Amino acid sequence: MAPSRALPTGFGELEVLTVGTVLLVEALSGLTLNGLTIFSFCKSPELRSPGRLLVLSLALADSGISLNALIAATSSLLGRWPYGSDSCQAHGFQGFATALASISNSAAIAWERCHHHCTRSQLAWSTAGCLVLCVWLSSVFWAALPLLGWGHYDYEPLGTCCTLGYSRGDRNSTSFLFTVAFFNFILPLSVTFTSCWLLEQKLKKSSHLQVNTRLPGRTLLLGWGPYALLHLCAAITDMTAISPRLQMVPALIAKTVPTINALQYALGRETAGRNIWQCLPRPWSQGRSSVHDRAR
């Protein structure tokens, strides 16, 4: 008789399988939709604009999150992390860097759209390029700090994937968690909400309020807020009071953001969406194009 597989502490067989399945669905959905966005940007000249460059950067970051989720899904379905401690550090770094890039890119897109509608001028290519460069350099910088000793990467409660560690509760980890939360969540969230509010006021005055200007801020808050709150709670309280199952929920919520972003910033917008769907094989693209045309 084969020996039974050891389960992570606090989880049953069905729960481990459920987490792995959810991660797999989130990963495949995010990779597919953001991959389509990236492919269409490269293939369709109509989509190549400074503003769309920011959307491309967001799609690349979200693809990285989904790839990270795919690795986590495979190890979760195995019930263990099979790649060793060094790979855990690399997995944590890659996931954290792309998560920070996704948050910052969302804030940059919100600012760009506010700038475009309020000034009636398009962002210059040089400005868009600098924004993208700054987003990625900043994200890599903050993600590298735990590798250099400020903060640390560790296994998530399920023990099958790696993330920014929050369980130690020492001064080193606490100071890093508060600092990174301020500069990489609270500030981008403030930029997003402020930009969306200014855009809403501008569109109301011109009677052109045809889009949900509050959706970007809500996506950022609801998608990444629980994850940020979990880390901040860990910095100020004893995490043993929170069950391992509950600690996994914010991570699962956050990994839905790549799919939501793709639908919100690329595939859901009429002009861009029509061009993107036309990059697909002809029978499918014709069907999607006719839907867009009837909706116009």
Side-chain angles (χ1 to χ4, degrees):
M1 182 177 178
S4 60
R5 183 181 64 179
L7 294 173
T9 303
F11 293 90
E13 185 77 33
L14 180 60
E15 292 163 336
V16 174
L17 179 62
T18 300
V19 170
T21 303
V22 171
L23 285 171
L24 183 61
V25 172
E26 291 175 332
L28 294 178
S29 174
L31 285 172
T32 300
L33 295 179
N34 285 287
L36 179 59
T37 302
I38 296 168
F39 174 74
S40 61
F41 181 90
C42 297
K43 188 173 181 180
S44 300
E46 298 87 349
L47 297 179
R48 296 173 194 163
S49 66
R52 299 294 301 178
L53 180 63
L54 299 178
V55 176
L56 174 65
S57 179
L58 176 63
L60 289 170
D62 286 340
S63 295
I65 296 174
S66 297
L67 180 61
N68 186 273
L70 183 61
I71 297 173
T74 56
S75 59
S76 295
L77 292 174
L78 289 173
R80 61 186 178 86
W81 177 260
Y83 308 113
S85 58
D86 290 339
S87 296
C88 175
Q89 298 296 305
H91 184 253
F93 169 81
Q94 187 269 343
F96 192 43
T98 51
L100 296 181
S102 176
I103 293 171
S104 296
N105 274 309
S106 296
I109 291 171
W111 174 84
E112 184 274 331
R113 291 184 175 173
C114 177
H115 172 272
H116 174 71
H117 286 279
C118 292
T119 65
R120 295 296 179 183
S121 61
Q122 190 179 63
L123 203 65
W125 276 103
S126 58
T127 304
C130 286
L131 272 175
V132 170
L133 182 62
C134 288
V135 163
W136 283 99
L137 288 178
S138 173
S139 301
V140 170
F141 168 77
W142 285 101
L145 290 177
L147 300 177
L148 301 175
W150 193 21
H152 70 287
Y153 293 114
D154 202 355
Y155 297 102
E156 289 190 342
L158 189 60
T160 57
C161 49
C162 300
T163 185
L164 183 65
Y166 55 83
S167 59
R168 289 183 181 175
D170 57 11
R171 181 177 298 179
N172 178 287
S173 296
T174 300
S175 62
F176 181 74
L177 291 175
F178 274 108
T179 305
V180 78
F182 177 77
F183 284 103
N184 293 280
F185 180 69
I186 295 176
L187 279 183
L189 186 66
S190 300
V191 170
T192 301
F193 271 111
T194 301
S195 299
C196 290
W197 182 81
L198 292 173
L199 176 59
E200 182 178 7
Q201 301 308 306
K202 178 68 175 180
L203 294 178
K204 278 182 177 179
K205 289 180 180 179
S206 58
S207 300
H208 290 298
L209 189 58
Q210 300 175 348
V211 295
N212 189 347
T213 57
R214 301 180 184 181
L215 186 58
R218 289 175 178 174
T219 300
L220 207 57
L221 179 62
L222 297 178
W224 293 105
Y227 204 70
L229 183 61
L230 174 68
H231 284 72
L232 291 178
C233 286
I236 60 178
T237 189
D238 184 7
M239 289 301 291
T240 57
I242 303 177
S243 70
R245 299 182 187 92
L246 188 58
Q247 292 180 41
M248 284 300 300
V249 172
L252 296 178
I253 294 174
K255 288 179 173 61
T256 64
V257 173
T259 298
I260 296 172
N261 282 343
L263 294 173
Q264 177 182 184
Y265 292 111
L267 306 180
R269 295 179 65 83
E270 182 180 341
T271 303
R274 186 166 58 250
N275 286 324
I276 288 174
W277 291 117
Q278 286 175 351
C279 292
L280 294 173
R282 186 167 298 276
W284 175 253
S285 64
Q286 285 180 343
R288 293 297 306 187
S289 297
S290 63
V291 171
H292 278 291
D293 292 337
R294 288 196 299 269
R296 284 169 41 177

